[in-house]
Amino acid sequence: MTQKAVLLLSLLSMLFSSCCTTKTNDDKTTAGKTAFYDDAWELEYISGTRIAFEGLYPEKKPYIMFKDLSNEFSGNTSCNGYSGKYTKKENSIQFGDAIKTMIFCEGGGEEAFLKMLGKVNKFAIDSEGKLLLLMDDIPMMRFKKIAKPQQ
């Protein structure tokens, strides 16, 4: 009788605890709202340049932020601020032309960053929570989530 009571109590406690757990919706694989919007993403890799990443961005790395309701993106190229509109559907993304401030920048990092934004057409959030901007299925840019920079 005691074994049956212990077994019954164990089953009831497992059932009760499973009913009371709360599922969080980080949705990293489909870039859900909590994993994509209203966060700042700092560039940590860019493809297609002949200059090493640290040579392109020796002091400050570019970042990008996305607004959900207005479909706007903004950030800094490591030299100038920029902003524009984007369209997103499922894992497809298209960036409109970025409007930027006009401070002279050396090194080619700004040009490489904005040019690559114009080429990407898909995005993903990988298993480490990194934002990947893709050209078809090839990662062209990789970003890590950071605290929002001071504007």
Side-chain angles (χ1 to χ4, degrees):
M1 182 77 165
T2 309
Q3 265 185 328
K4 288 183 182 180
V6 170
L7 181 61
L8 181 60
L9 283 174
S10 297
L11 287 173
L12 286 174
S13 66
M14 285 191 304
L15 180 64
F16 180 74
S17 66
S18 67
C19 290
C20 295
T21 58
T22 304
K23 184 178 178 182
T24 59
N25 186 17
D26 283 344
D27 200 9
K28 291 182 171 130
T29 57
T30 59
K33 189 168 185 163
T34 59
F36 186 78
Y37 298 109
D38 298 322
D39 287 312
W41 298 92
E42 182 180 74
L43 185 69
E44 60 179 23
Y45 167 79
I46 187 167
S47 178
T49 61
R50 294 181 183 197
I51 302 170
F53 184 80
E54 294 302 324
L56 285 172
Y57 311 108
E59 296 175 26
K60 184 178 179 183
K61 294 179 178 80
Y63 70 88
I64 191 167
M65 295 177 9
F66 300 91
K67 292 184 181 174
D68 182 16
L69 298 177
S70 62
N71 288 342
E72 294 175 322
F73 67 95
S74 62
N76 192 290
T77 64
S78 80
C79 180
N80 285 303
Y82 67 93
S83 63
K85 294 274 194 177
Y86 70 92
T87 55
K88 175 180 151 320
K89 184 175 182 182
E90 296 176 7
N91 73 329
S92 295
I93 192 163
Q94 194 73 36
F95 293 95
D97 290 335
I99 299 168
K100 62 182 178 116
T101 56
M102 298 302 287
I103 300 171
F104 176 73
C105 306
E106 293 183 8
E110 177 178 75
E111 181 182 346
F113 180 80
L114 293 174
K115 189 175 184 179
M116 191 58 69
L117 273 183
K119 291 181 178 182
V120 300
N121 58 10
K122 291 184 179 179
F123 72 97
I125 305 288
D126 71 10
S127 61
E128 296 176 3
K130 308 268 176 122
L131 171 64
L132 305 175
L133 294 182
L134 314 159
M135 188 166 39
D136 298 323
D137 292 324
I138 301 167
M140 303 307 283
M141 303 169 93
R142 183 180 64 233
F143 296 81
K144 66 179 179 180
K145 194 180 292 189
I146 60 169
K148 287 187 182 178
Q150 300 292 56
Q151 299 287 330

